[in-house]
Amino acid sequence: MRRILSVLALALSATATPVLAAQCITSQGQFGNYKAGLAQQAAASGVGQRGLQALQNAQLSGITWRFESNPASQSGVAQGNPATFLAKRSGSSAEAFINQVQRKINANPNTFAAIERSYGVPGSILATIWGLETSWGGYTGRTPIIDGAITLASYCRRHPRFESHAIAALQLADRGVINSGTQGGPSGELGHMQFLAGNWARFGVDANGDGRADPYNAVDALASAANMLRANGWRAGQPFGQGTANFNVLSAWNDSGNYQRAIAYAAERVR
């Protein structure tokens, strides 16, 4: 009987192996080990074969690693100077950027009006974010999303905050929203509004009625951004300047104070 119980205990331990958390890394040569650990977590989270294959194919993103290895490169311009921030971010003057925001709204009045009716977020806010993120779709990134998301999650300074986004990117690959070759920002950002994968999975909506929420469709991306802001407490019809409740909601989009002030500054100057 004792031998039977011992054999049974061994069998149970073999079938109930716990999922080990992927260990963050401090050198590029450890990336393969990180992927192996992440594969266990991804499978336990329900990622299917397409997503796991995308993980297997993932390569360390050199641009992501270099960016994260140099925190000084991420510091913005002087605090409290949104016009300077806008000029640096856009490569033009703040006035030129704001004029372009106005032109985008004027060219798509029905779209922005419909989104505001649905979610309460004005077009001035959304078109400003759109311009800051991708120059209104002009540049959505050249880094494979899955590579960037997994590299960011592997890096000890960012892990585990971004690991859920790496797994979400694999889930999006499972669903066919992206694939191993889909390109975006160096941190795994997607589409016109540069959503992190976990945020797209949670807040992405099909606003143009084609049956799929597509981050690379401007209408879907804009509506999804509004959906995210509303879910984080945006109050329709209320002011959004610094010190207001709506201004605080902008931290859900980007936790940089410079970025938040730039959004409010530009949007307040749009007619």
Side-chain angles (χ1 to χ4, degrees):
M1 177 65 74
R2 184 177 300 169
R3 176 172 174 76
I4 293 173
L5 291 175
S6 298
V7 172
L8 180 60
L10 287 171
L12 288 173
S13 65
T15 58
T17 303
V19 175
L20 300 177
Q23 299 299 306
C24 69
I25 63 176
T26 56
S27 71
Q28 297 184 40
Q30 300 169 310
F31 189 64
N33 292 336
Y34 178 77
K35 288 204 306 178
L38 185 64
Q40 289 192 49
Q41 289 179 241
S45 299
V47 174
Q49 188 56 44
R50 279 202 296 185
L52 294 176
Q53 185 63 52
L55 172 57
Q56 183 176 338
N57 294 339
Q59 302 292 315
L60 184 139
S61 168
I63 188 173
T64 305
W65 190 272
R66 290 192 298 273
F67 186 70
E68 292 305 324
S69 299
N70 183 19
S73 69
Q74 302 175 42
S75 59
V77 294
Q79 181 174 348
N81 194 342
T84 303
F85 181 93
L86 286 172
K88 181 177 180 180
R89 182 89 178 195
S90 66
S92 62
S93 68
E95 181 181 4
F97 177 88
I98 293 166
N99 288 340
Q100 183 68 352
V101 170
Q102 184 72 69
R103 284 193 288 272
K104 289 295 178 182
I105 295 172
N106 291 347
N108 305 277
N110 294 335
T111 295
F112 284 106
I115 292 173
E116 183 167 6
R117 285 194 300 272
S118 295
Y119 301 101
V121 182
S124 58
I125 289 286
L126 298 174
T128 295
I129 295 173
W130 189 16
L132 288 171
E133 293 290 353
T134 65
S135 294
W136 303 281
Y139 183 77
T140 58
R142 292 292 181 266
T143 303
I145 287 167
I146 292 174
D147 293 2
I150 294 172
T151 301
L152 184 68
S154 75
Y155 194 84
C156 278
R157 192 167 67 86
R158 293 297 196 180
H159 177 92
R161 178 182 176 188
F162 288 93
E163 194 160 71
S164 63
H165 295 294
I167 292 175
L170 300 176
Q171 292 169 335
L172 292 178
D174 255 345
R175 290 162 42 191
V177 176
I178 61 174
N179 57 47
S180 293
T182 306
Q183 296 180 331
S187 298
E189 304 97 332
L190 300 96
H192 279 264
M193 302 297 275
Q194 296 288 275
F195 274 87
L196 291 171
N199 290 336
W200 183 262
R202 183 177 178 186
F203 299 111
V205 296
D206 171 23
N208 70 350
D210 68 355
R212 63 190 298 261
D214 180 4
Y216 290 87
N217 175 272
V219 177
D220 286 0
L222 288 163
S224 299
N227 185 36
M228 180 174 168
L229 291 173
R230 183 182 67 174
N232 280 279
W234 187 273
R235 300 177 184 177
Q238 297 299 305
F240 46 76
Q242 193 165 355
T244 66
N246 279 343
F247 180 87
N248 293 337
V249 172
L250 295 175
S251 66
W253 185 266
N254 190 304
D255 58 9
S256 163
N258 282 332
Y259 200 103
Q260 295 157 27
R261 284 185 289 274
I263 294 172
Y265 176 88
E268 285 178 326
R269 284 158 178 76
V270 173
R271 293 188 300 276

